[in-house]
Amino acid sequence: FWLGKYGIIFARDNKFSQFYGFEILLIKKILSMSGPFGIKQGATKNDIQVGEEISRFLYVIPEVPKPHSAFPSVCAQITPENGVSFIRALGNLIQTSGTGLEIKSEFNKISEKLTKTYGMPQLIDSFNEGGLYSDYNDWMDSIANKERQFFAFWSKNNGLQLPNNLNSIALGVLVEDTWQGNVYLEYTFDNFDNAVKEMDELEDDAL
């Protein structure tokens, strides 16, 4: 017997060099870590460690169950009745030029990883007609001034079979200034609309 990755116990058959997992332990561990960054739909503030509330019901998650080096900052929308319904992750700050080549490279790398897991996304790269920042070296400024839409989108509405109660995933770019920016990643769960309704009702209750 030996202790494998994720703390799952395996038994080795030396004769056939095969490994056998104990299904109960495996299923229990997988269920406890399901969802992006190990955060599952409906998780409460008692289920995961939360930090500062940066906007109403949107909390910083200082230590996610399953961290990823590309996204050091993660926050989640957590309401009293619906729990987690939305996750937003912000990538590392990337130094670049006006062309945004370094940021586009990181975007493409993350997009490829997500495509392997969730299928082919809808890719949007469009520039507003009549925009001022149309030159090759103006790519970062065109994003900053909302003249260019640049993102990838995975959605059940597009026929994808997303796991873990996910409804949609968005990957995009945030621009700090002409010379630096981040890649961001957003996950929306199936209970998102119910959470929005819950928040509206709680707000209206104050009137």
Side-chain angles (χ1 to χ4, degrees):
F1 292 91
W2 64 289
L3 188 63
K5 191 177 182 182
Y6 306 127
I8 301 169
I9 299 175
F10 291 90
R12 174 180 291 181
D13 184 329
N14 291 324
K15 183 177 181 180
F16 298 102
S17 298
Q18 295 176 333
F19 296 94
Y20 302 91
F22 288 97
E23 293 182 355
I24 294 177
L25 292 177
L26 177 61
I27 292 172
K28 182 178 180 181
K29 194 67 179 181
I30 290 175
L31 288 176
S32 68
M33 299 179 70
S34 61
F37 304 103
I39 302 172
K40 59 184 179 181
Q41 173 182 276
T44 69
K45 290 191 292 182
N46 293 327
D47 297 324
I48 54 178
Q49 180 184 355
V50 299
E52 178 186 0
E53 185 176 11
I54 54 179
S55 64
R56 197 158 188 250
F57 298 115
L58 187 65
Y59 299 90
V60 173
I61 311 299
E63 295 184 14
V64 296
K66 294 174 65 177
H68 193 288
S69 60
F71 294 97
S73 301
V74 179
C75 59
Q77 180 174 280
I78 310 174
T79 58
E81 290 186 8
N82 286 278
V84 171
S85 59
F86 174 79
I87 297 171
R88 176 182 295 149
L90 186 64
N92 298 294
L93 191 64
I94 299 172
Q95 303 298 320
T96 185
S97 63
T99 63
L101 291 178
E102 290 79 5
I103 288 183
K104 284 187 279 188
S105 176
E106 178 70 4
F107 175 95
N108 290 334
K109 183 173 70 174
I110 299 299
S111 179
E112 289 176 4
K113 294 178 184 293
L114 293 169
T115 297
K116 290 179 181 179
T117 302
Y118 301 108
M120 289 297 297
Q122 178 184 6
L123 296 173
I124 305 296
D125 185 4
S126 62
F127 183 76
N128 296 346
E129 185 176 354
L132 298 176
Y133 299 95
S134 58
D135 290 345
Y136 177 73
N137 291 324
D138 291 337
W139 192 87
M140 292 288 285
D141 289 332
S142 70
I143 296 285
N145 289 277
K146 300 182 179 179
E147 293 185 352
R148 181 181 300 277
Q149 291 74 48
F150 183 79
F151 61 90
F153 190 65
W154 293 258
S155 174
K156 284 184 175 178
N157 292 335
N158 293 338
L160 295 177
Q161 300 296 318
L162 300 180
N164 300 319
N165 302 114
L166 287 169
N167 184 270
S168 64
I169 304 164
L171 176 70
V173 170
L174 290 176
V175 172
E176 185 79 13
D177 54 41
T178 304
W179 315 112
Q180 55 187 354
N182 316 74
V183 171
Y184 72 84
L185 183 57
E186 295 179 344
Y187 296 89
T188 302
F189 289 99
D190 289 334
N191 65 343
F192 180 78
D193 288 343
N194 289 336
V196 171
K197 182 180 179 182
E198 177 189 354
M199 289 188 290
D200 288 343
E201 290 176 349
L202 288 171
E203 187 174 44
D204 291 345
D205 189 54
L207 298 177

